[in-house]
Amino acid sequence: MNEPTKAYIAGFLDGDGSIMLQLVHRKDYKFGYQIRVGMCFYQKSKYKAELEKLKEILKFGYIKDRNDGMTEYTIVGKDEVKEVLEALQPYILFKSKHVSAALRILNEMGDRRKMLKEEFLRLARLVDSYSSLNY
């Protein structure tokens, strides 16, 4: 991905995107919760083709039409989100604190199956504190 494309996508994320870190209850997980990582780009459904082009560039995720006339392009997964955020980080303006915090958490997340309880609790607290960045 060339630098102008990274800058464009970073601006899109700044304006019409979101970065999400969530604790999701999962009975099948070691500590009963999953740290879910994702990012979304939102656009009116009439611009779905442009979101599909964006997906071709980033090579991850899926596109979903909502019932309210909007379409979402969503990327989920630690490695996928980390790769995209690292590429866009130099060009992010409004969500620079979000990107920095998300990357810090992503870099500290290891294999969930090998994670100790104390380590998971520390990461869970970081995920909870991430919400304070939202406006």
Side-chain angles (χ1 to χ4, degrees):
M1 187 174 9
N2 64 40
E3 299 309 305
T5 299
K6 290 178 188 178
Y8 175 81
I9 296 170
F12 191 178
L13 179 62
D14 263 342
D16 287 329
S18 63
I19 305 161
M20 300 156 293
L21 290 124
Q22 305 165 296
L23 289 171
V24 179
H25 182 68
R26 296 280 306 260
K27 291 180 183 180
D28 57 330
Y29 273 56
K30 186 175 178 180
F31 302 115
Y33 287 89
Q34 170 192 9
I35 297 175
R36 183 183 296 162
V37 182
M39 60 189 301
C40 286
F41 298 88
Y42 307 94
Q43 213 46 224
K44 286 187 176 182
S45 293
K46 70 180 185 176
Y47 298 109
K48 183 177 181 176
E50 286 77 4
L51 288 176
E52 289 170 350
K53 288 178 188 175
L54 184 59
K55 182 180 180 288
E56 285 178 28
I57 294 167
L58 296 177
K59 300 184 182 0
F60 301 119
Y62 60 92
I63 294 175
K64 178 178 85 171
D65 292 320
R66 299 186 338 196
N67 293 332
D68 62 356
M70 297 293 289
T71 298
E72 296 178 0
Y73 167 40
T74 303
I75 301 170
V76 177
K78 177 181 80 169
D79 296 334
E80 294 85 351
V81 170
K82 182 180 174 189
E83 184 176 324
V84 174
L85 291 180
E86 285 176 342
L88 303 182
Q89 186 176 28
Y91 305 101
I92 296 289
L93 297 176
F94 293 103
K95 293 183 174 126
S96 61
K97 290 181 182 178
H98 294 78
V99 171
S100 294
L103 285 173
R104 190 175 92 230
I105 293 167
L106 290 168
N107 285 326
E108 292 185 29
M109 288 174 65
D111 185 342
R112 69 178 170 87
R113 293 165 295 202
K114 296 179 182 176
M115 197 176 292
L116 300 173
K117 183 178 182 180
E118 295 77 22
E119 184 181 6
F120 181 80
L121 286 171
R122 187 180 60 74
L123 285 171
R125 286 186 187 101
L126 287 174
V127 169
D128 277 345
S129 70
Y130 184 84
S131 67
S132 69
L133 298 173
N134 293 333
Y135 43 85

